[in-house]
Amino acid sequence: MKKVILINSVSEDIRIAITEDGKLAEFFLDTPAKERNVGDIYLGKVGKVIPGIRAAFIDLGFKQDAFLHFSDIGNTLSEYAAMIGDDPDVEEDDDDEEETPAPAVKEDYRKTPNLEKGQDIIIQITKEPVANKGFRVTTKVSLPGRYLVLIPFEKKIGLSKQIYNPREKRRLRSIVKSSLPKGFGVIIRTVAAGQDENLILDDLNSLITMWNDIQSKVKTADSPFILYKDLSTTSSVVRDLFKEDINKVVVDSKKLFKEIKTYIDDTSPEFSGKVELYSGNQPLFDVYNIEKQIEESLQRKVWLKNGGYIIIEATEAMTVVDVNSGKYARHKDQEINSLNTNLESAKEIVRQIRLRDIGGIIVIDFIDQYDERNRRKLYEEIKKEFRNDRAKSTILPVSEFGIVEITRQRIRQNIIHTISDRCPMCRGTGHVQSKSTFINRFERWMKRYKGGANGKSIIVTVNPFIKNYLTEGFISRVTKLRINNLLNIKLVDDENLALDEFKVFSKKANKDVTEEFDN
């Protein structure tokens, strides 16, 4: 598979596209308006502790408090408390990191950490806010580098599962173990395989220096306070994804090209020749057909090559995908037609899930398959396509009704929230009130109002489209409303109002009276 990273700089925004065999597989946006926070480390303050949901809410200085589930509280909470200058008696959770062996006797999972409101706590952001939910955080702090991930207060050395050579595993362990200070753990990343010892040790020393800097800040900081800011989206993509399987990185900004080239020269000189500066006349994303694919990722309907299509609908609780055969009927046997459409749609659905970065619960309604062997074939195809996905997923087998249920790790907002804003007209519902419904609602409001102590003269503010609708015609609708309700109505337009919104100001009372007489 040919993998290419494309980096496009426009104004203050940086867009990163990762393609696989020419198809857009992942998309990132680095913009000042939507700052990346995953990986940041904070000195937070405990807000609420709610044992009923086994969670606490942490004040980080944002509008919404961050969510800390008890399962995300590691066994080193007491060490972090000692760093802050507070050493409470902590009942630790038994939810350890994956590499740590499970205890011989399983502890009671209902045990609650001794967290108190107002207590300072060191946490790291693991997930961006989604919809009305705030950041998700953990006390299991780690610092990622190019080759290593440093884990304070741990005693283990873990290796990436993608390093297969036993001799290389021993070499890497030996390099790290000989130089790792007491009280630190480390995970050796895939990209470390085959690297020079000095590069790995430089990375380790850099991470230890970062941690020492964090410890110094804690001593003088008042919560909430940011202790460590992780790399920007662009830098983190290069750090985390630039591996042997990447054929090249193409950048259309001279400044970014120099920064990336310098970083790669210092950390992975053998990849230096893969970094290219684009200097063509046509926009970089046009040349690689990225713009069209980004546009398609915003659509609810995605067409398949064989004439079928999929529908992707997102709700608050889950994402639902429906598979339709369309006009596809190549074979006389309906079962074969259904299998072919399902197999093609499976590839496209997984690509769309990765591209849109859809997380949480995903339910896919495939075309019914009556042969159990075909359902197994479809299930294996779905699992195969998810092997290229960096997010963790759980996939259940195809049910007899053609339903596949998936849970996928959610880290950041999906692409639709990243590159678009909620529609101010429909408020994200996709529907607005009809004009006649608006008129009926407004007339009911006026019947409740009836002038009275607030006077007969009102100023009504509506969306410009609604104002045009009310004022058009020889005898306009607003004229009829004036006559029927014996009110002096002055219309004002405001494009910031939704189509079903109105505001009413009473001249006599000199106040907004909208809510007073609304239903």
PDB file of all heavy atoms in Angstrom, residues 450-464:
ATOM      1  N   LYS A 450     -51.666  41.234  23.385  1.00  0.00           N
ATOM      2  CA  LYS A 450     -52.848  42.112  23.352  1.00  0.00           C
ATOM      3  C   LYS A 450     -52.579  43.528  23.851  1.00  0.00           C
ATOM      4  O   LYS A 450     -53.485  44.220  24.330  1.00  0.00           O
ATOM      5  CB  LYS A 450     -53.979  41.508  24.202  1.00  0.00           C
ATOM      6  CG  LYS A 450     -54.534  40.210  23.654  1.00  0.00           C
ATOM      7  CD  LYS A 450     -55.623  39.667  24.552  1.00  0.00           C
ATOM      8  CE  LYS A 450     -56.143  38.342  24.019  1.00  0.00           C
ATOM      9  NZ  LYS A 450     -57.174  37.735  24.904  1.00  0.00           N
ATOM     10  N   GLY A 451     -51.340  43.957  23.771  1.00  0.00           N
ATOM     11  CA  GLY A 451     -51.049  45.337  24.184  1.00  0.00           C
ATOM     12  C   GLY A 451     -51.019  45.466  25.685  1.00  0.00           C
ATOM     13  O   GLY A 451     -50.019  45.186  26.347  1.00  0.00           O
ATOM     14  N   GLY A 452     -52.164  45.847  26.286  1.00  0.00           N
ATOM     15  CA  GLY A 452     -52.253  45.978  27.740  1.00  0.00           C
ATOM     16  C   GLY A 452     -51.284  47.006  28.279  1.00  0.00           C
ATOM     17  O   GLY A 452     -51.033  48.052  27.657  1.00  0.00           O
ATOM     18  N   ALA A 453     -50.730  46.700  29.435  1.00  0.00           N
ATOM     19  CA  ALA A 453     -49.843  47.661  30.112  1.00  0.00           C
ATOM     20  C   ALA A 453     -48.557  47.905  29.341  1.00  0.00           C
ATOM     21  O   ALA A 453     -47.895  48.926  29.532  1.00  0.00           O
ATOM     22  CB  ALA A 453     -49.521  47.154  31.516  1.00  0.00           C
ATOM     23  N   ASN A 454     -48.195  46.988  28.441  1.00  0.00           N
ATOM     24  CA  ASN A 454     -46.948  47.129  27.685  1.00  0.00           C
ATOM     25  C   ASN A 454     -47.105  47.988  26.430  1.00  0.00           C
ATOM     26  O   ASN A 454     -46.124  48.253  25.740  1.00  0.00           O
ATOM     27  CB  ASN A 454     -46.426  45.746  27.294  1.00  0.00           C
ATOM     28  CG  ASN A 454     -45.884  44.990  28.498  1.00  0.00           C
ATOM     29  OD1 ASN A 454     -45.199  45.562  29.337  1.00  0.00           O
ATOM     30  ND2 ASN A 454     -46.229  43.723  28.598  1.00  0.00           N
ATOM     31  N   GLY A 455     -48.335  48.404  26.116  1.00  0.00           N
ATOM     32  CA  GLY A 455     -48.552  49.315  24.995  1.00  0.00           C
ATOM     33  C   GLY A 455     -48.811  48.611  23.691  1.00  0.00           C
ATOM     34  O   GLY A 455     -48.623  47.405  23.539  1.00  0.00           O
ATOM     35  N   LYS A 456     -49.266  49.388  22.711  1.00  0.00           N
ATOM     36  CA  LYS A 456     -49.662  48.870  21.397  1.00  0.00           C
ATOM     37  C   LYS A 456     -48.529  48.905  20.358  1.00  0.00           C
ATOM     38  O   LYS A 456     -48.682  48.391  19.261  1.00  0.00           O
ATOM     39  CB  LYS A 456     -50.847  49.676  20.854  1.00  0.00           C
ATOM     40  CG  LYS A 456     -52.123  49.556  21.673  1.00  0.00           C
ATOM     41  CD  LYS A 456     -52.772  48.210  21.441  1.00  0.00           C
ATOM     42  CE  LYS A 456     -54.124  48.115  22.128  1.00  0.00           C
ATOM     43  NZ  LYS A 456     -54.779  46.810  21.879  1.00  0.00           N
ATOM     44  N   SER A 457     -47.426  49.564  20.689  1.00  0.00           N
ATOM     45  CA  SER A 457     -46.318  49.692  19.728  1.00  0.00           C
ATOM     46  C   SER A 457     -45.191  48.725  20.082  1.00  0.00           C
ATOM     47  O   SER A 457     -44.663  48.763  21.204  1.00  0.00           O
ATOM     48  CB  SER A 457     -45.778  51.126  19.711  1.00  0.00           C
ATOM     49  OG  SER A 457     -46.754  52.018  19.225  1.00  0.00           O
ATOM     50  N   ILE A 458     -44.861  47.856  19.117  1.00  0.00           N
ATOM     51  CA  ILE A 458     -43.789  46.879  19.349  1.00  0.00           C
ATOM     52  C   ILE A 458     -42.812  46.862  18.177  1.00  0.00           C
ATOM     53  O   ILE A 458     -43.184  47.156  17.044  1.00  0.00           O
ATOM     54  CB  ILE A 458     -44.352  45.457  19.569  1.00  0.00           C
ATOM     55  CG1 ILE A 458     -45.232  45.036  18.376  1.00  0.00           C
ATOM     56  CG2 ILE A 458     -45.097  45.362  20.877  1.00  0.00           C
ATOM     57  CD1 ILE A 458     -45.749  43.613  18.447  1.00  0.00           C
ATOM     58  N   ILE A 459     -41.568  46.527  18.488  1.00  0.00           N
ATOM     59  CA  ILE A 459     -40.532  46.340  17.461  1.00  0.00           C
ATOM     60  C   ILE A 459     -40.241  44.848  17.397  1.00  0.00           C
ATOM     61  O   ILE A 459     -39.848  44.245  18.403  1.00  0.00           O
ATOM     62  CB  ILE A 459     -39.252  47.123  17.802  1.00  0.00           C
ATOM     63  CG1 ILE A 459     -39.550  48.622  17.903  1.00  0.00           C
ATOM     64  CG2 ILE A 459     -38.167  46.855  16.757  1.00  0.00           C
ATOM     65  CD1 ILE A 459     -38.388  49.441  18.446  1.00  0.00           C
ATOM     66  N   VAL A 460     -40.457  44.252  16.231  1.00  0.00           N
ATOM     67  CA  VAL A 460     -40.275  42.806  16.055  1.00  0.00           C
ATOM     68  C   VAL A 460     -39.036  42.550  15.201  1.00  0.00           C
ATOM     69  O   VAL A 460     -38.948  43.035  14.064  1.00  0.00           O
ATOM     70  CB  VAL A 460     -41.513  42.165  15.400  1.00  0.00           C
ATOM     71  CG1 VAL A 460     -41.297  40.660  15.249  1.00  0.00           C
ATOM     72  CG2 VAL A 460     -42.761  42.444  16.222  1.00  0.00           C
ATOM     73  N   THR A 461     -38.077  41.808  15.758  1.00  0.00           N
ATOM     74  CA  THR A 461     -36.843  41.482  15.037  1.00  0.00           C
ATOM     75  C   THR A 461     -36.910  40.039  14.559  1.00  0.00           C
ATOM     76  O   THR A 461     -37.189  39.131  15.349  1.00  0.00           O
ATOM     77  CB  THR A 461     -35.611  41.661  15.950  1.00  0.00           C
ATOM     78  OG1 THR A 461     -35.637  42.965  16.517  1.00  0.00           O
ATOM     79  CG2 THR A 461     -34.326  41.471  15.163  1.00  0.00           C
ATOM     80  N   VAL A 462     -36.675  39.845  13.248  1.00  0.00           N
ATOM     81  CA  VAL A 462     -36.733  38.509  12.640  1.00  0.00           C
ATOM     82  C   VAL A 462     -35.576  38.339  11.672  1.00  0.00           C
ATOM     83  O   VAL A 462     -34.861  39.296  11.353  1.00  0.00           O
ATOM     84  CB  VAL A 462     -38.072  38.302  11.888  1.00  0.00           C
ATOM     85  CG1 VAL A 462     -39.244  38.294  12.839  1.00  0.00           C
ATOM     86  CG2 VAL A 462     -38.259  39.365  10.808  1.00  0.00           C
ATOM     87  N   ASN A 463     -35.411  37.108  11.189  1.00  0.00           N
ATOM     88  CA  ASN A 463     -34.423  36.831  10.149  1.00  0.00           C
ATOM     89  C   ASN A 463     -34.798  37.582   8.856  1.00  0.00           C
ATOM     90  O   ASN A 463     -35.985  37.741   8.568  1.00  0.00           O
ATOM     91  CB  ASN A 463     -34.384  35.321   9.897  1.00  0.00           C
ATOM     92  CG  ASN A 463     -33.331  34.928   8.885  1.00  0.00           C
ATOM     93  OD1 ASN A 463     -33.568  34.979   7.682  1.00  0.00           O
ATOM     94  ND2 ASN A 463     -32.171  34.522   9.362  1.00  0.00           N
ATOM     95  N   PRO A 464     -33.818  38.043   8.067  1.00  0.00           N
ATOM     96  CA  PRO A 464     -34.130  38.784   6.830  1.00  0.00           C
ATOM     97  C   PRO A 464     -35.065  38.041   5.884  1.00  0.00           C
ATOM     98  O   PRO A 464     -35.910  38.666   5.224  1.00  0.00           O
ATOM     99  CB  PRO A 464     -32.750  38.982   6.192  1.00  0.00           C
ATOM    100  CG  PRO A 464     -31.795  38.965   7.332  1.00  0.00           C
ATOM    101  CD  PRO A 464     -32.371  38.007   8.324  1.00  0.00           C
TER     102      PRO A 464
END
